[in-house]
Each structure stands twice: as C-alpha cells, then as structure tokens.
Amino acid sequence: MAAKMTVLLGFVLVIFFTGFTLYKLIGDFTKSNEPQQTFNSYTPTVERREVIKANETNKPIITEDFLTINEYSRPGEKLGKVKNIFVHYTANQGTSAAQNRSYFENLGITGETSASAHFVIGYEGEIIQCIPLDEIAYAVVQRNYDSISIECCYLSEDGKFTDETYQSLLRLSAWLLKEYKLAPDDMRRHYDEGGKKCPLYYVEHEEAWEKFLSDLEQHIMKNQV
C-alpha cells in the first residue's frame, strides 16, 4: 500500500509541475505581446500594431566612435531583448556630444563612477554611437540589460533641447523603434525608472514629453505616406 501511495504521489507531482510549467510559458508569451505600461497620459492616435508595421524609418547619420572596453563605461556584456528606449540628458549644460563621449571614455581611466549610453546627441544634432547595439550601457541601473539609452546635450538652463537635438532624437528614436519592433509608447524617460529627474525638461514639463511621443508617432507615419 505504501509503495502504491508513493507512486501515486509522484504521478500527481509530475502532473502538477507539468501544468505549472505550461501555465508559465503561456503567461510569458501573452505578456510579451501586450503593450508596455503607460507612464504618462499620452494617448496614441494610431493602433500600436499599425505604427510598428508602418515604421520604415531609415537609419540617420551616426558617427560610430565606440568606447574602449573597460569595467566602468563599456563592460562588453551582451544585451538581451530590448523592451524600451530611454531618453536622458547629460546634466552638463553646454557640453558637446564629443565631450560627453570623452567623459565616458575617461571613466575607464579614472574609475570615478560607472556611466555610459549607447548614443549621445549633440546640441547641433550630431549623433555619436558609443556602445554597439548588442552590448549593454551603464545608463539605467535596473534596466541596463533590456534597454537602449540615448543621452542628449543641451544649452538651455531648464534642460530644453535645441531644435537640432530634438529632430535628431526623433529620427534616431524612430529608427530604433523599427529595429526592435517597438512603438512610441515604449519610449521612456530615465525618470520613469527610479525617479531620477532626467531628462530634466521632460520631467518638469510632462506636456512636452507627451508632445515628443505624439511628434514621434507622426514622424513615423508621415514618412510612410
């Protein structure tokens, strides 16, 4: 009798764990096809799947100037599935894209902190790529392994981007969304993950961030007409 009960218990456990595994797989698959959580009051005017399908944005002009592999700004670790694109500001008024790229490079020597981003957009609109897209950047602590980050330079004390920076941010964001089959509502501010006031202007002016997302959607759709 004891042997039969042991066999029966083992059979029940196998069925339980098999069912649980299937439940998790189905749940993860369903979750991966759901829109990302909305972090603001922006309301898309085009259905998510339609804007993803329509996005044929060309790659903007990008200068590749990859950082030297080091433990403080380019660890060389592989990036997993990209779920979001993060926008940052340099928090260093008046500095150029090249200067911020050099700052990241020098961290490999000074070791004063860990920081970097995949891209830096200058206040004249130039785009420098610092990290290959298959590697992580040290940009958003909790999200380094599933996101791409864009740093933006600025001249204004309130952190507002120049029009040249803004237009390059639109072009670069649209192209990245196409590459990863994402939509404008997958864009994030650094602020949305941890509460850091970055990018400052878009944190203190929520309506400006919503306008950026709206402009991004229009940029994607207009380019397909």
Side-chain angles (χ1 to χ4, degrees), residues 45-64:
T45 60
V46 181
E47 189 176 348
R48 176 185 173 82
R49 68 181 65 184
E50 291 303 318
V51 74
I52 292 175
K53 182 179 178 181
N55 193 349
E56 296 180 359
T57 304
N58 293 325
K59 183 177 181 179
I61 297 174
I62 297 172
T63 299
E64 292 185 355

Side-chain angles (χ1 to χ4, degrees), residues 188-205:
R188 296 285 185 271
R189 301 165 295 182
H190 189 177
Y191 171 76
D192 296 321
E193 192 70 48
K196 183 177 180 180
K197 296 188 75 172
C198 172
L200 181 64
Y201 189 78
Y202 286 148
V203 173
E204 297 187 341
H205 299 81

Side-chain angles (χ1 to χ4, degrees), residues 164-185:
E164 291 83 356
T165 301
Y166 189 80
Q167 294 302 321
S168 288
L169 180 59
L170 284 175
R171 289 191 290 269
L172 178 58
S173 297
W175 175 67
L176 288 171
L177 292 179
K178 183 195 75 170
E179 292 297 294
Y180 296 105
K181 293 181 172 54
L182 300 173
D185 60 357

Side-chain angles (χ1 to χ4, degrees), residues 22 26 40 50-51 57 64 72 83 89 91 101 109 128 130 141 143 152 172 177 190 194:
L22 287 173
I26 293 171
N40 47 63
E50 291 303 318
V51 74
T57 304
E64 292 185 355
Y72 294 99
K83 297 179 180 179
Y89 87 134
R101 186 265 173 208
I109 301 172
I128 296 178
C130 304
V141 176
R143 301 293 308 281
C152 296
L172 178 58
L177 292 179
H190 189 177

Side-chain angles (χ1 to χ4, degrees), residues 99-115:
Q99 287 173 323
N100 281 279
R101 186 265 173 208
S102 293
Y103 169 72
F104 293 148
E105 178 70 22
N106 288 334
L107 289 178
I109 301 172
T110 66
E112 62 183 84
T113 189
S114 295

Side-chain angles (χ1 to χ4, degrees), residues 40 87 188-189 202 205-213:
N40 47 63
V87 178
R188 296 285 185 271
R189 301 165 295 182
Y202 286 148
H205 299 81
E206 183 76 26
E207 73 286 352
W209 176 246
E210 293 170 14
K211 184 179 187 303
F212 166 71
L213 297 179

